[in-house]
Amino acid sequence: MIHAVVFFWLALQSVSPEGARHMQAGVEAHKQGNFDLAITEFRKATETDPNMAEAFLDLGEELMQTHDYGAAIPPLKRALELNSNLDAAHLQLGYALLSQGYAAEAIPHLERVSALEALGIAQIDTGQYQEAVANLSAALVKRPGDQDLLYYLGRASGLLSKRAIDTLLGAYPDSARSHQAMGENYFVLRQMPQAEREYSEALRQRPDVPGLHLELGQVYAGAAQWAKAEDEFRAEAKLQPGNAEAAYRLGAALLQQGKVRDARVELERSDRLKPEMPETLYSLGKAASLDGDVLLAEKSWARLLAIEQDTSLAAQAHFGLANLYRKQGNAAKAQHEMQEYKRLQDRVPKPQNPPS
């Protein structure tokens, strides 16, 4: 029940008998799901006892219950004028104001009652992205996996990131970091020549910045220029020998060029640096299979499938295992793996860049 029952019974000590009857009738109507009657009764209670804050609160709450948020705002404001300590009124008024687009006005009410999700949404609307990220992150801890929270947190984070990048580009338009940021934008848009130009300029200015070679290598990989990709990934691996992704990318580029033994060395190194990376396990399984190491190939793909069951990588792992078992003459296992591969092919969207 949304009504402040405790406040109601306390209020009965000072309200008129007629006001008390209307309040009780409103509560009963709410219990029966007759919201229109409840609104009528609570409204009569406010008219009979215009200084009873709880009557205005209950009227506002009942209007909220029927999604008439605009109409709920005046009685909720009146309730707080009469008693500013009614947290329930702060909460409902915050939600009502936010729903009507009055985000800035809603914030103080939502802050008072720590309504983190609604507060974060209001802060997005008022451009307080850093605060929104903090509040939505805290709300997500209490409700992990909530799709609305995930959406709003992603939106707040994206807007905060965009603001930071816009500030960077405005203040330092020709800096290495600005060229790197532009390269990232072009890469997302799949405009590879422009991305290559921006990353190359960033590297010209600051050749030892971690991550730049990795990002330029991905541009070349996206354009299937594997020799150039190898050079960049190798440079990144030299700069960051402990970076598992750099080792994986280098291994994958080598594998694309048929350099199976060298690829396997890098992929095994990536797996040691960061075990259970699905992309590494898939490529390691393929490299091992091509190198004739059936046991490592089977082990790698089995480990992948223990992590992921319904992804495009999982489908490719099943396909690899099917071929492996078919070559071994194990028809039953090969058939099972091929069935799993086909099942996933029907369910999983194909990736833009399928694994090599």
Side-chain angles (χ1 to χ4, degrees):
M1 179 176 179
I2 65 173
H3 300 294
V5 178
V6 173
F7 291 127
F8 164 62
W9 289 112
L10 290 175
L12 287 184
Q13 300 175 16
S14 57
V15 301
S16 67
E18 184 180 357
R21 283 196 300 274
H22 287 305
M23 289 290 283
Q24 184 61 45
V27 170
E28 291 302 320
H30 173 81
K31 288 180 179 179
Q32 296 169 17
N34 191 339
F35 303 127
D36 289 338
L37 178 58
I39 289 170
T40 299
E41 293 296 338
F42 289 135
R43 196 182 302 280
K44 288 179 179 178
T46 64
E47 294 166 353
T48 303
D49 291 83
N51 293 319
M52 184 168 58
E54 291 75 17
F56 287 96
L57 169 58
D58 282 355
L59 174 58
E61 287 184 325
E62 204 65 37
L63 289 164
M64 292 285 289
Q65 185 79 0
T66 60
H67 306 293
D68 195 351
Y69 303 118
I73 291 174
L76 290 169
K77 283 186 173 181
R78 178 57 180 161
L80 289 172
E81 289 174 3
L82 294 168
N83 184 351
S84 62
N85 293 320
L86 289 176
D87 282 350
H90 283 289
L91 177 64
Q92 297 295 336
L93 181 56
Y95 277 116
L97 290 167
L98 180 59
S99 71
Q100 295 295 287
Y102 302 108
E105 192 178 349
I107 285 176
H109 301 287
L110 298 170
E111 284 180 329
R112 176 186 171 100
V113 294
S114 298
L116 297 178
E117 178 180 1
L119 178 58
I121 295 169
Q123 287 166 331
I124 292 175
D125 289 347
T126 55
Q128 301 174 58
Y129 304 134
Q130 190 167 345
E131 295 84 353
V133 168
N135 284 313
L136 291 166
S137 296
L140 193 61
V141 171
K142 298 178 180 178
R143 288 161 49 200
D146 183 279
Q147 59 181 323
D148 290 327
L149 280 173
L150 289 169
Y151 166 76
Y152 282 114
L153 178 57
R155 184 180 176 199
S157 300
L159 290 168
L160 179 61
S161 175
K162 183 179 184 302
R163 174 181 286 177
I165 295 300
D166 287 346
T167 301
L168 169 67
L169 295 175
Y172 311 101
D174 198 37
S175 67
R177 290 301 190 187
S178 288
H179 285 292
Q180 182 180 12
M182 290 301 298
E184 291 170 357
N185 288 339
Y186 283 128
F187 180 76
V188 169
L189 296 171
R190 312 305 294 171
Q191 297 180 20
M192 297 307 181
Q194 295 91 331
E196 178 187 5
R197 183 182 66 244
E198 296 295 340
Y199 282 131
S200 296
E201 176 57 24
L203 277 168
R204 187 191 67 79
Q205 294 186 31
R206 296 179 64 180
D208 295 331
V209 170
L212 276 175
H213 286 288
L214 184 66
E215 292 178 332
L216 180 55
Q218 289 178 259
V219 171
Y220 290 133
Q225 298 181 49
W226 294 109
K228 288 185 175 181
E230 177 191 339
D231 290 342
E232 296 302 327
F233 294 143
R234 195 177 297 282
E236 190 68 41
K238 184 177 179 181
L239 277 176
Q240 298 193 81
N243 187 319
E245 183 181 359
Y248 155 68
R249 297 284 180 186
L250 176 55
L254 290 165
L255 192 59
Q256 282 283 356
Q257 299 173 84
K259 302 175 182 179
V260 176
R261 292 286 176 86
D262 292 340
R264 179 172 168 175
V265 169
E266 293 301 325
L267 293 166
E268 288 180 329
R269 188 167 70 86
S270 174
D271 190 45
R272 287 194 301 273
L273 288 169
K274 189 175 180 181
E276 312 308 314
M277 250 173 67
E279 294 84 358
T280 299
L281 291 172
Y282 171 75
S283 294
L284 179 56
K286 183 174 181 180
S289 177
L290 291 171
D291 200 29
D293 192 337
V294 174
L295 291 178
L296 180 58
E298 183 178 15
K299 178 182 176 183
S300 299
W301 286 330
R303 284 170 59 200
L304 189 162
L305 291 171
I307 300 168
E308 297 189 358
Q309 290 82 41
D310 298 310
T311 66
S312 59
L313 274 179
Q316 293 299 320
H318 283 297
F319 186 80
L321 286 169
N323 286 332
L324 204 66
Y325 293 137
R326 185 167 58 249
K327 290 176 183 178
Q328 292 177 325
N330 193 331
K333 280 190 174 183
Q335 183 180 9
H336 171 74
E337 295 299 335
M338 186 56 69
Q339 287 174 344
E340 288 299 299
Y341 167 72
K342 292 179 178 178
R343 178 182 66 83
L344 289 177
Q345 283 290 94
D346 294 337
R347 292 178 51 189
V348 180
K350 292 179 174 60
Q352 290 184 346
N353 295 305
S356 57

